């Protein structure tokens, strides 16, 4: 609707000329929601004059011409209303009527009013300017040279152009996310890309509730996320959990589950922001969730790296020891991918035995057990064996992982940290403790065990050995038993020296000979046999000394 010409001035104060200010890609990316009022006004012809500036960051939903006295039943929030002032004629032009008109627009959350000059008005009513100022509504004077239809067309073109920029930005973000997936640290890089393109912080949590990676200025303590994660992990299917914390930047916190194809929890992505994310931002988050879920599935279900590593080691067993530098580097890279870690981190051998079922054998497909141990130890290098399983992992295997394994009826032997060349020896060291872990029903750590015969046997096995080897002596009356055991212990400790034993016990050497002869007669053993002496020496360490 046309109107007569109007003047203008520079933008500032309560009046000013609209500037044609082009938006950079960064500005568009930061305003993914929709066109803002400021964007729209900056794109309009310079003839328009701003009579009052409201919230230029307000999201503009539509441009709507209306000459109704009360157009609010037909408006959405965030609209730009265009009027030639017909509702403000006659009785509608009083200060009170204009105030009521603007109040209705403000109640409908109209963000701006465009007032066209002529045919009803030669200038913008002063009462309208005052009311718009009171209610914070932007007021724009539209000269006759600018038809209302042109303003609506300009908005549609800007909306289309803004959408195209958004789509281009989304395509670029997806490209960056895919590049992140192929990086040496995909989880970390995906989160880094996410927080660069979306105004949020992000935390990636494993199925054990521990943080795998984080990015952004995360003001929320991870411990605070516990209830949200608990709800998320208790659920199933495509669902999210929403929460809010009284911390800046955490007013809107959303947890996205990461699940296997069989709906098993593999972890979660938790993001926090100051306000609800725009649809385009949510598209980016959805893409990141999909990629992180894929990475989690690969970590527990499959990857090309283990098969390549196995092929290299089968065809070139010297690869890790005597291969060329390129072969060694390639093998270490494949091993790092198989262990979900960096190449430089040491590794451990973990063996497991099932104490609830000592004769454990996998009767079904081993896939379930493999996936279970892959998830717990964050590795693809797992072997199902006749005694249980063996795994190679970069993890230190903390108490939470041990507790989970023990809840399933298993006890672990956790190896010491080694380099790839030392894995066979590490496997042997762990294997030497496997019987003890089964008999004592305790998880053992190789680097915490005393490496002696008694240390490796353990109390339970040692006591059984003492009962078998020393049985006839231990069945004697206490007074006679204690004397013979004490003399035998001292004699063996002094390598069978009669004189040294007699001196240590303050006995005559003939008395020592008599006691030793009696002991070996009862035991039916040869005192001159080295193996007999070794067995007795070990067994006596598990027999309490005489009081």
């Amino acid at each position: 609707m046309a109107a007569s010409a109007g003047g203008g001035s520079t933008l500032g104060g309560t009046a000013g000329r609209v500037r044609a200010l082009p938006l950079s890609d960064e500005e568009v990316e930061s305003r993914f929601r929709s066109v803002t009022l400021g964007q729209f006004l900056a794109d309009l012809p310079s003839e328009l004059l701003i009579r009052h500036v409201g919230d230029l960051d307000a999201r503009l939903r539509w441009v709507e011409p209306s000459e109704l006295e009360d157009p609010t039943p037909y408006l959405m929030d965030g609209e730009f209303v265009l009027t030639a002032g017909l509702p403000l004629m006659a009785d509608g032009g009083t200060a009170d009527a204009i105030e009521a008109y603007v109040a209705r627009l403000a109640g409908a959350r109209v963000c701006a009013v465009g007032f066209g000059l002529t045919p009803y008005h030669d200038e913008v009513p002063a009462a309208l300017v005052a009311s718009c100022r009171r209610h914070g509504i932007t007021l724009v004077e539209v000269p006759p040279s600018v038809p209302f239809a042109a303003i609506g067309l300009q908005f549609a073109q800007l909306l289309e152009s803004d959408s195209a920029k958004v789509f281009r930005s989304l395509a670029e973000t997806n490209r960056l996310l895919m590049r992140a997936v192929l990086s040496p640290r995909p989880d970390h890089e995906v989160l880094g890309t996410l927080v660069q393109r979306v105004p949020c912080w992000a935390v990636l949590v494993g199925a054990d509730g521990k943080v795998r990676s984080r990015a952004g200025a995360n003001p929320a303590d991870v411990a605070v996320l516990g209830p949200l994660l608990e709800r998320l992990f208790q659920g199933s299917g495509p669902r999210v959990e929403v929460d809010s914390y009284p911390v800046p930047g955490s007013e809107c916190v959303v947890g996205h589950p990461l699940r296997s194809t069989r709906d098993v929890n593999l972890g979660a992505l938790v993001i926090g922001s100051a306000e609800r994310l725009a649809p385009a931002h949510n598209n980016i988050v959805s893409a990141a969730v999909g990629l992180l879920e894929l990475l989690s599935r690969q970590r527990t279900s499959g990857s090309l790296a283990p098969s390549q590593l196995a092929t290299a080691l089968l065809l070139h067993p010297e690869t890790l020891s005597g291969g060329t530098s390129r072969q060694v580097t390639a093998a270490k890279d494949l091993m790092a991918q198989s262990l979900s870690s960096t190449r430089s981190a040491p590794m451990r051998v973990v063996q497991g035995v099932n104490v609830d079922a000592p004769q454990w054998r996998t009767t079904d497909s081993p896939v379930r057990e493999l996936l279970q141990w892959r998830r717990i130890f964050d590795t693809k290098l797992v072997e199902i064996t006749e005694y249980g399983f063996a795994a190679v992992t970069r993890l230190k295997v903390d108490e939470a992982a041990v507790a989970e394994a023990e809840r399933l009826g298993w006890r672990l032997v956790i190896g010491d940290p080694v380099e790839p060349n030392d894995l066979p020896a590490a496997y042997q060291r762990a294997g030497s403790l496997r019987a003890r872990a089964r008999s004592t029903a305790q998880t053992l750590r190789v680097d915490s065990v005393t490496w002696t015969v008694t240390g490796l046997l353990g109390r339970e096995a040692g006591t059984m050995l003492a009962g078998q080897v020393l049985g006839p002596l231990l069945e004697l009356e206490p007074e006679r038993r204690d004397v013979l055991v004490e003399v035998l212990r001292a004699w063996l400790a002094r390598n069978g020296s009669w004189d040294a034993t007699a001196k240590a016990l303050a006995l005559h050497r003939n008395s020592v000979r008599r006691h030793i002869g009696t002991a070996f007669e009862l035991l039916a053993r040869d005192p001159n046999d080295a193996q007999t002496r070794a067995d007795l020496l070990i067994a006596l360490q598990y027999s309490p000394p005489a009081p």
Side-chain angles (χ1 to χ4, degrees):
M1 186 168 292
S4 65
S9 63
T10 59
L11 184 62
T14 58
R17 186 173 300 282
V18 177
R19 295 179 295 128
L21 182 63
L23 292 172
S24 66
D25 288 343
E26 290 76 11
E27 289 174 308
V28 171
E29 290 169 6
S30 68
R31 302 179 180 203
F32 267 142
R33 293 167 180 257
S34 60
V35 175
T36 66
L37 178 59
Q39 285 178 268
F40 180 50
L41 295 179
D43 208 58
L44 288 176
S46 59
E47 293 93 331
L48 273 69
L49 181 68
I50 298 179
R51 301 298 302 273
H52 172 68
V53 178
D55 182 9
L56 294 179
D57 290 326
R59 306 295 167 176
L60 186 57
R61 295 282 295 277
W62 200 248
V63 175
E64 182 69 32
S66 176
E67 299 300 337
L68 296 176
E69 182 179 351
D70 182 13
T72 57
Y74 310 100
L75 299 177
M76 300 183 295
D77 58 62
E79 287 208 25
F80 190 130
V81 174
L82 296 170
T83 179
L86 181 61
L88 308 186
M89 298 291 292
D91 293 341
T94 66
D96 289 342
I98 290 176
E99 173 64 17
Y101 174 82
V102 174
R104 288 192 292 272
L105 297 182
R109 301 179 68 180
V110 168
C111 66
V113 172
F115 192 88
L117 301 182
T118 69
Y120 306 115
H121 297 271
D122 294 327
E123 62 181 6
V124 178
L128 179 61
V129 177
S131 292
C132 287
R133 184 178 295 113
R134 277 193 295 273
H135 291 281
I137 296 179
T138 296
L139 178 61
V140 180
E141 180 180 312
V142 182
S145 59
V146 181
F148 283 179
I151 296 176
L153 179 61
Q154 189 65 32
F155 174 76
Q157 291 174 341
L158 181 60
L159 192 63
E160 181 179 2
S161 174
D162 188 70
S163 298
K165 289 184 178 181
V166 169
F167 288 134
R168 287 198 301 271
S169 182
L170 286 174
E172 172 64 12
T173 300
N174 287 334
R175 185 180 68 83
L176 293 176
L177 287 172
M178 292 305 298
R179 179 185 295 175
V181 168
L182 300 175
S183 69
R185 303 172 62 196
D187 290 345
H188 178 78
E189 294 297 332
V190 168
L191 260 61
T193 301
L194 176 62
V195 300
Q196 286 176 4
R197 313 294 283 196
V198 177
C200 69
W201 52 260
V203 176
L204 178 62
V205 180
D208 56 0
K210 293 186 177 181
V211 174
R212 291 185 55 87
S213 183
R214 66 178 73 198
N218 175 16
D221 186 354
V222 175
V224 177
L225 303 177
L228 181 145
L229 292 173
E230 184 177 355
R231 296 195 304 271
L232 200 63
F233 288 160
Q234 287 176 348
S236 61
R239 54 178 288 161
V240 298
E241 288 290 339
V242 180
D243 213 330
S244 178
Y245 306 116
V247 181
S250 298
E251 288 82 355
C252 185
V253 177
V254 182
H256 300 265
L258 307 178
R259 303 191 189 280
S260 72
T261 54
R262 299 185 180 183
D263 206 27
V264 175
N265 287 316
L266 302 177
L269 173 65
V270 182
I271 63 171
S273 57
E275 57 184 351
R276 292 180 61 185
L277 297 178
H281 285 147
N282 282 324
N283 286 339
I284 296 174
V285 172
S286 296
V289 168
L291 292 174
L292 292 170
E293 190 169 73
L294 176 62
L295 289 170
S296 297
R297 290 178 180 180
Q298 285 185 335
R299 188 177 296 116
T300 57
S301 302
S303 169
L304 297 178
S307 61
Q308 294 180 78
L309 178 62
T311 302
L313 295 179
L314 285 171
L315 299 181
H316 312 287
E318 75 286 355
T319 296
L320 290 176
S321 56
T324 65
S325 60
R326 177 175 293 183
Q327 286 178 318
V328 172
T329 299
K332 287 185 175 181
D333 281 337
L334 290 171
M335 187 168 290
Q337 294 177 48
S338 302
L339 298 173
S340 307
S341 68
T342 60
R343 189 199 307 166
S344 59
M347 57 194 71
R348 298 170 188 268
V349 173
V350 178
Q351 296 185 21
V353 293
N354 193 315
V355 295
D356 289 349
Q359 303 303 317
W360 180 85
R361 295 289 187 278
T362 176
T363 54
D364 302 323
S365 169
V367 172
R368 185 176 63 83
E369 285 79 11
L370 278 171
L371 294 181
Q372 173 178 270
W373 303 125
R374 282 185 170 197
R375 176 182 61 81
I376 291 176
F377 300 113
D378 197 13
T379 179
K380 304 178 189 73
L381 302 184
V382 179
E383 175 191 21
I384 299 300
T385 67
E386 62 177 11
Y387 60 79
F389 72 88
V392 179
T393 179
R394 298 286 195 188
L395 299 182
K396 293 182 179 179
V397 190
D398 59 16
E399 294 307 313
V402 171
E404 183 172 3
E406 291 186 347
R407 281 196 301 271
L408 297 171
W410 294 78
R411 298 299 181 270
L412 309 178
V413 179
I414 303 166
D416 47 333
V418 298
E419 294 301 319
N421 292 347
D422 298 323
L423 282 172
Y427 181 82
Q428 290 180 351
R429 287 194 293 273
S432 67
L433 296 176
R434 201 166 57 238
R436 178 174 168 184
R438 188 192 303 278
S439 63
T440 61
Q442 292 181 337
T443 289
L444 304 174
R445 294 182 182 272
V446 170
D447 48 12
S448 299
V449 171
T450 303
W451 285 91
T452 63
V453 173
T454 54
L456 293 175
L457 270 178
R459 172 57 55 184
E460 183 175 346
T463 301
M464 292 174 60
L465 175 65
Q468 291 292 323
V469 175
L470 301 173
L473 283 183
L474 301 179
E475 293 172 359
L476 297 174
E477 293 294 326
E479 185 175 353
R480 189 180 181 202
R481 175 198 64 200
D482 293 343
V483 170
L484 292 178
V485 168
E486 183 182 9
V487 173
L488 181 59
R489 192 193 309 273
W491 183 75
L492 290 170
R494 286 156 183 81
N495 200 27
S497 172
W498 307 110
D499 292 334
T501 305
K503 183 177 180 180
L505 298 177
L507 293 174
H508 193 279
R509 66 194 309 270
N510 290 336
S511 298
V512 172
R513 285 180 178 275
R514 185 175 67 254
H515 290 316
I516 292 300
T518 301
F520 276 97
E521 185 178 348
L522 288 170
L523 296 173
R525 297 289 191 104
D526 181 2
N528 296 314
D529 180 65
Q531 183 63 53
T532 295
R533 290 191 181 191
D535 290 344
L536 290 172
L537 187 61
I538 295 170
L540 284 168
Q541 294 187 56
Y542 294 95
S543 176

